[in-house]
């Protein structure tokens, strides 16, 4: 029985977006259909990138929702990473594509304390990358 999460998203120009997930985030590739879609191992989950008409801007309807110490972009997808992996990804994003929302601490002094940042892939899909002080198993 598998409990892997699967999400399929529009990737725009597939080759550019695949490079972001592999070269910037460090994800591994899985199954694909040449020029149509590419599965990405998104830290144990299956993210499928579908070739689509590239977006020219963040014109996807977005909203900001107020959450402790920040207004987060919705919609977004994300991942909780162990601190060491989070630091590696954060450094890679900082030195390459930059942040939509820079890293900051949320829910300070609670069981949900986390450092989080937001980044966009080349097709303007927003990702939240976070590391919890007290990870849940």
């Amino acid at each position: 029985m598998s409990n892997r999460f699967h999400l399929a998203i529009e990737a725009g120009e597939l080759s550019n977006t695949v490079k972001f997930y592999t070269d910037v985030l460090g994800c591994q590739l899985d199954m694909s259909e040449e020029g149509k879609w590419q599965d990405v191992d998104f830290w144990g989950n299956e993210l499928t990138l579908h070739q689509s008409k590239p977006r020219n801007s963040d014109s996807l309807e977005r909203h900001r929702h107020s959450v402790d110490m920040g207004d987060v972009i919705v919609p977004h997808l994300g991942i909780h990473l162990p601190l060491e992996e989070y630091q590696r990804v954060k450094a890679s994003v900082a030195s390459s594509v930059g942040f939509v929302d820079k890293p900051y601490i949320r829910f300070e002094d609670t069981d949900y304390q986390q450092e989080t940042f937001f980044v966009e892939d080349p097709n303007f899909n927003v990702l939240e990358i976070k590391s919890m002080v007290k990870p849940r198993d």
Side-chain angles (χ1 to χ4, degrees), residues 29-71:
L29 300 181
D30 205 341
M31 291 180 54
S32 68
E33 187 173 351
E34 183 71 30
K36 293 186 178 183
W37 57 269
Q38 173 68 60
D39 282 347
V40 174
D41 181 344
F42 194 71
W43 292 280
N45 299 290
E46 183 181 77
L47 179 62
T48 303
L49 306 174
H50 284 267
Q51 176 79 29
S52 65
K53 181 178 177 184
R55 295 182 188 121
N56 295 320
S57 69
D58 63 1
S59 62
L60 178 68
E61 188 168 325
R62 295 179 175 175
H63 304 279
R64 288 219 175 235
H65 289 231
S66 181
V67 179
D68 185 58
M69 298 188 72
D71 290 332

Side-chain angles (χ1 to χ4, degrees), residues 4 12 21 23 29 54 57 59 62-63 75 82 99 102 106-107 113-114 120 123 131 137:
R4 291 180 75 194
Y21 285 91
D23 297 352
L29 300 181
S57 69
S59 62
R62 295 179 175 175
H63 304 279
F99 304 101
K102 293 180 181 179
R106 293 194 340 212
F107 308 112
Q113 183 173 322
Q114 60 196 257
E120 288 176 324
N123 203 45
S131 183
D137 292 332

